[in-house]
Amino acid sequence: MYVLNKITGQKQTATITKIDAAEISYINKTRRFDFNWNKERNFHVYKLTAEDKEEPIGLVSVEERSQDYALEIRLLAVSKDNIGKSQKYSRIAGCLIAFVCREAFKKGFGGFVCLKPKTKLEKHYMQQYGLQSTKIYLITEGENSLKLIQEYYEDQQEGN
C-alpha cells in the first residue's frame, strides 16, 4: 500500500495500525484532524502513516455490524495538511476505505462496507471509489470492494 507524495511525485509506503484511547486523545490535542475523535474510543480506530513518519495522515473509525454482515465506517478523516490543493499526500482516503473493505472480507461479510457521508463528499465517494447510494448510506461490496483493495491495497503484506 502506498500514498503518493504530491511534492516529489514518489510513492511512499503507507501503513495502517490500530490505535488505543491514549493515542486517540493525543491525536485529538494536535488538532490536525477535524472531529472529536475521543467519541470514537469504543470503536476500532486506525491510523494511516507514511513511511518513516510517526504522525498519522489519515484516521478511520470502524464499527462491526454483525447483524447486517457489514462494517460501517463511522468516521474517516484526512489530516488538515493533506486536504485541498496544497496537500502533501494523495490516496489517503482510498487506502483507508480499501483497508476496511479487506477487513469486511476477512470477517466473512463479502466486502460489504457502509458509511454515512457528509453531503459535500457524497458525489466524490461515488465517483472516486464506486460507492452506491441507498439514500441513507453509501455502500460498497463484492466486486467493487475487490477493485478498491487491488487499487489501493495492492502489495500489502499479509498479516498487517
Side-chain angles (χ1 to χ4, degrees):
M1 178 178 20
Y2 70 91
V3 289
L4 189 63
N5 185 318
K6 302 279 279 190
I7 298 161
T8 66
Q10 295 190 318
K11 295 177 181 180
Q12 288 191 254
T13 301
T15 307
I16 294 177
T17 49
K18 191 170 184 178
I19 59 175
D20 61 18
E23 192 166 0
I24 291 169
S25 290
Y26 171 75
I27 288 169
N28 230 27
K29 289 176 188 160
T30 68
R31 302 197 179 276
R32 293 184 62 238
F33 292 90
D34 285 330
F35 311 114
N36 179 357
W37 285 86
N38 286 321
K39 292 180 178 178
E40 300 304 306
R41 289 173 185 240
N42 296 328
F43 302 97
H44 303 283
V45 180
Y46 300 88
K47 67 178 179 180
L48 182 132
T49 53
E51 186 176 28
D52 302 326
K53 304 268 188 273
E54 291 206 19
E55 287 283 314
I57 56 175
L59 297 173
V60 66
S61 172
V62 180
E63 179 178 8
E64 185 172 332
R65 294 180 42 175
S66 304
Q67 72 281 8
D68 299 322
Y69 298 99
L71 291 181
E72 180 179 350
I73 295 175
R74 291 181 40 82
L75 210 48
L76 186 148
V78 173
S79 62
K80 291 177 182 177
D81 54 332
N82 282 293
I83 297 172
K85 296 198 186 320
S86 61
Q87 68 182 219
K88 183 173 181 183
Y89 296 105
S90 65
R91 297 176 45 94
I92 297 168
C95 288
L96 290 167
I97 293 169
F99 167 77
V100 178
C101 289
R102 183 172 174 261
E103 294 300 303
F105 277 112
K106 283 171 142 182
K107 295 218 175 272
F109 298 159
F112 195 97
V113 174
C114 61
L115 66 102
K116 285 184 184 172
K118 292 187 286 179
T119 48
K120 66 180 182 178
L121 290 175
E122 188 168 357
K123 278 194 172 117
H124 173 71
Y125 284 144
M126 292 169 75
Q127 293 168 345
Q128 183 71 33
Y129 307 114
L131 275 59
Q132 302 292 311
S133 176
T134 68
K135 302 284 187 231
I136 298 171
Y137 288 96
L138 290 183
I139 62 165
T140 181
E141 61 175 329
E143 288 296 318
N144 191 67
S145 291
L146 284 172
K147 194 171 95 178
L148 289 169
I149 293 166
Q150 288 165 350
E151 182 169 343
Y152 291 97
Y153 215 84
E154 50 173 31
D155 56 353
Q156 180 69 16
Q157 311 301 309
E158 276 303 312
N160 284 352

